[in-house]
Amino acid sequence: MEMQFLRVLRLLHGKKTIKVENELKNLTESQIDELYTYVIDKIVQEELPADLIRSCNFNVRTLIGDIIQGIMNLSNVGQPSDQTLVITAPTQSGKSSAEAIVQKTCNVLNTCSVIVTSGIQESKDLEGKIEDLLKMDSPDEGEDEDEWEIDFSPPSLVIADTPARIHRLCDNDIVPYRNGLPTGKLCVLVDEADRRYRTEEKEQKTEQAF
């Protein structure tokens, strides 16, 4: 499983050789399920703080599984994935934990993640909260850097939903990311998604920028 996972990582950071792609295309359905389970176990056991997992009032493994299936897309290797997940919960119910897990999962899979939230100060507060959640009792890092062969580090960003910030995101972060890694995946997590589009005509600057 470890070698197959490393092959997936090579695809995700641009080392898209025909040999690697064909090897992954030849996986059976049960082998694909085994590989997804392996990655979920790896993230839960090695990457996420145990305190964070215990604090979650949702199924952590299910959330991670949905994310990695969308990113790795092993049922259709080499093709774009356009998976949409909707996470609903009352205010102050621990959604920041879910956002932290999404960000960490993307980081493990060498995938650019962008969290869009309402307000500049709110985005700074959320970024700090996610950092704290992922530092609860996190394991030592950097043990297998050579093995992972990661030579391009995608950004993990938390931004405000202002037109100026969204345009800067595209110009300063997404475009360089695509230039450095044309086949790289992009995960966008929209906080309070029901507030993104406010008018039927969608003529507001925020709506157009988004």
Side-chain angles (χ1 to χ4, degrees):
M1 285 296 109
E2 178 71 12
M3 288 306 300
Q4 288 175 336
F5 179 49
L6 290 175
R7 290 188 182 102
V8 172
L9 284 183
R10 291 189 184 101
L11 281 183
L12 291 177
H13 31 90
K15 300 175 181 179
K16 191 173 182 179
T17 66
I18 298 298
K19 179 181 178 181
V20 171
E21 188 169 308
N22 286 340
E23 286 177 359
L24 293 174
K25 281 183 177 178
N26 290 329
L27 294 178
T28 65
E29 190 171 331
S30 62
Q31 288 174 322
I32 289 175
D33 288 340
E34 287 178 12
L35 184 50
Y36 283 146
T37 300
Y38 170 83
V39 181
I40 293 171
D41 289 340
K42 188 178 187 69
I43 293 172
V44 169
Q45 296 170 10
E46 300 177 17
E47 301 293 336
L48 292 177
D51 289 346
L52 171 58
I53 296 173
R54 284 193 293 268
S55 71
C56 293
N57 56 6
F58 54 87
N59 192 312
V60 173
R61 294 180 63 87
T62 298
L63 175 60
I64 296 173
D66 288 340
I67 300 165
I68 65 171
Q69 286 185 47
I71 295 174
M72 292 169 65
N73 198 27
L74 292 180
S75 299
N76 202 5
V77 175
Q79 299 302 313
S81 174
D82 189 21
Q83 182 162 330
T84 301
L85 305 176
V86 178
I87 303 171
T88 61
T91 302
Q92 302 301 321
S93 61
K95 286 183 291 184
S96 298
S97 297
E99 291 165 329
I101 289 170
V102 171
Q103 189 181 88
K104 173 55 76 171
T105 301
C106 290
N107 183 257
V108 170
L109 294 178
N110 202 40
T111 296
C112 177
S113 67
V114 180
I115 299 175
V116 183
T117 191
S118 299
I120 295 174
Q121 187 57 50
E122 288 83 350
S123 68
K124 293 178 180 178
D125 293 343
L126 178 58
E127 185 173 28
K129 185 181 291 187
I130 289 174
E131 289 179 0
D132 290 341
L133 287 169
L134 294 176
K135 288 178 182 175
M136 280 180 164
D137 58 359
S138 55
D140 293 335
E141 298 178 356
E143 294 179 357
D144 300 318
E145 287 182 1
D146 292 336
E147 181 184 10
W148 288 71
E149 297 185 13
I150 293 177
D151 53 11
F152 185 85
S153 179
S156 297
L157 304 167
V158 181
I159 70 164
D161 62 347
T162 65
R165 186 63 187 92
I166 293 174
H167 285 305
R168 280 206 311 275
L169 165 74
C170 295
D171 295 339
N172 299 342
D173 298 295
I174 302 303
V175 170
Y177 170 62
R178 289 296 192 192
N179 288 339
L181 189 57
T183 59
K185 301 292 184 74
L186 175 67
C187 176
V188 179
L189 182 60
V190 184
D191 195 15
E192 300 183 24
D194 54 335
R195 296 178 56 185
R196 293 310 110 205
Y197 296 116
R198 303 176 175 91
T199 66
E200 187 175 343
E201 297 79 13
K202 297 183 177 54
E203 292 181 349
Q204 293 184 358
K205 288 184 178 180
T206 299
E207 293 174 320
Q208 293 173 351
F210 187 76

